[in-house]
Amino acid sequence: MSPFIQRLIRELSTHPPQIDLNNVFLAAREALLKFGGTDEYDPYPQAEWRKELDQTDLSAQEIKLLIRHLKLFVRQHPAHTMVGTAIWALTATNSKAEAHFFRDQISVHAKSRNSHAVDQADYGLLRLGLDHIRWNSNQWIEPWTNLLPESYWIAVSNYLRRSRRQRIRFAPGRH
């Protein structure tokens, strides 16, 4: 396994206070984008880890392990202030196999009203072209605050109900 991926996984597993997790999640996202070969991967931003990532040949096994550790971080630390950023990093997988994970994270974080985590999971569904939360942001009466209006949480609740009905309707054995 490459030293670059090993370091990311170690930092995700231990998340020592002196490590800026924002950089870890950004590096993880960029690794996922690079492996996926998307146009979103940008080899030019100024970052201490950029040169190392550019010189690293990533394997499918390393990427699977990185995804597993990102998900583990999200599941083990749902109240962490950076959990939304970890979910955002996972949106770079561009894999419909992650749709259930994103839906589950909307459900988990809606209960605690963690709008950043909910928004990032919703963004993951949107990137995949799947059903997602529909909310008119023009309803945001006080955009200068971090508090979203009740209409946002109603839209989240409606999405979760709609998503549950769709899962039941399309479950194996149901016609």
Side-chain angles (χ1 to χ4, degrees), residues 36-174:
T38 69
D39 291 340
E40 292 177 81
Y41 174 68
D42 186 356
Y44 301 110
Q46 299 298 320
E48 61 207 39
W49 46 264
R50 174 57 67 186
K51 187 175 181 182
E52 186 180 0
L53 174 59
D54 289 342
Q55 296 171 350
T56 300
D57 289 325
L58 300 168
S59 71
Q61 181 182 359
E62 287 178 314
I63 293 300
K64 284 181 183 178
L65 197 56
L66 179 59
I67 291 168
R68 186 174 349 147
H69 277 83
L70 283 165
K71 287 179 174 181
L72 189 62
F73 178 89
V74 169
R75 289 179 176 129
Q76 288 181 340
H77 307 286
H80 195 284
T81 57
M82 296 297 293
V83 75
T85 308
I87 294 168
W88 171 77
L90 283 161
T91 66
T93 62
N94 292 321
S95 170
K96 289 196 177 183
E98 304 303 334
H100 289 293
F101 173 79
F102 294 134
R103 286 183 187 115
D104 290 345
Q105 293 311 306
I106 289 172
S107 180
V108 166
H109 296 289
K111 291 174 185 164
S112 62
R113 290 196 169 207
N114 180 342
S115 61
H116 184 238
V118 169
D119 280 345
Q120 296 312 312
D122 185 49
Y123 175 65
L125 294 173
L126 181 65
R127 282 178 62 96
L128 296 173
L130 299 174
D131 188 27
H132 61 96
I133 300 167
R134 298 179 191 130
W135 180 66
N136 180 356
S137 61
N138 292 331
Q139 297 172 358
W140 196 350
I141 298 169
E142 300 178 19
W144 58 89
T145 70
N146 280 336
L147 300 175
L148 291 167
E150 194 59 30
S151 63
Y152 174 81
W153 297 109
I154 291 170
V156 169
S157 177
N158 289 341
Y159 163 76
L160 290 171
R161 269 195 302 279
R162 190 171 65 245
S163 176
R164 205 170 349 227
R165 281 194 309 269
Q166 287 172 351
R167 284 189 214 174
I168 291 169
R169 189 172 55 220
F170 297 114
R174 300 220 18 153

